[in-house]
Amino acid sequence: MNEMGCVGVGIGGGFVDTNELHVIKCDDAMAGPDKDKWKEAVKEEYGYMEMHKVFKHVLRTKLPKNVQMVTSTWAMKEKANGTYQARLNTHGYEQRDQEHYDGSSIAAPAANDMTIYIVMVFMLMAGWCGHIVDVK
């Protein structure tokens, strides 16, 4: 039986400027001339997280003594189309299964259109069938 793996993050790309691939640290972004645009990007991302109830606000004083708090950092990117993107990333190495997340129900698929097309062509060439699954 042959095994195949596909990596698709850079396939098809469409990058006009490779600066889009570089993540900027939050402190550096906020110290630069585009500080207001970065603040707006953070505000927008934070608004999305609140809207989707990604987290619950808890005062540090209300946390039990034996709880380890998971820290996070903002990652900033200026897209090729000129938009400013901010993403909040937790430090995953601090997380513990069944305490901070359920390890049996995690998924983080990241594929662009070209990756899907390539996998579909491989499926056709190999005579495989596939199933479409929409996870919400």
Side-chain angles (χ1 to χ4, degrees):
M1 178 179 198
N2 294 332
E3 291 187 19
M4 169 180 50
C6 300
V7 178
V9 175
I11 298 175
F15 299 110
V16 177
D17 183 0
T18 57
N19 282 332
E20 181 176 343
L21 302 173
H22 301 290
V23 177
I24 304 167
K25 292 180 182 176
C26 183
D27 291 340
D28 294 341
M30 294 301 182
D34 296 329
K35 180 169 105 174
D36 293 335
K37 293 177 182 176
W38 289 119
K39 281 185 177 180
E40 186 60 35
V42 168
K43 186 177 176 182
E44 183 179 333
E45 178 68 9
Y46 189 80
Y48 288 140
M49 290 190 295
E50 281 190 319
M51 181 175 68
H52 294 289
K53 298 180 178 149
V54 172
F55 55 82
K56 178 181 171 186
H57 292 278
V58 178
L59 295 174
R60 286 183 189 217
T61 56
K62 300 286 184 182
L63 290 174
K65 296 281 185 209
N66 60 344
V67 170
Q68 177 188 356
M69 191 168 59
V70 177
T71 60
S72 59
T73 186
W74 285 98
M76 321 294 231
K77 267 206 275 191
E78 184 177 356
K79 306 299 272 180
N81 64 3
T83 59
Y84 291 76
Q85 181 182 44
R87 293 290 179 258
L88 186 64
N89 300 309
T90 60
H91 295 143
Y93 55 85
E94 295 175 345
Q95 297 179 1
R96 293 189 199 121
D97 190 9
Q98 301 303 320
E99 184 178 335
H100 297 114
Y101 66 94
D102 179 5
S104 65
S105 66
I106 57 173
N112 61 27
D113 293 345
M114 187 57 70
T115 303
I116 303 299
Y117 300 149
I118 290 171
V119 170
M120 289 172 73
V121 168
F122 283 145
M123 289 173 60
L124 288 170
M125 291 170 58
W128 299 341
C129 65
H131 299 277
I132 296 174
V133 179
D134 185 16
V135 180
K136 293 192 179 197

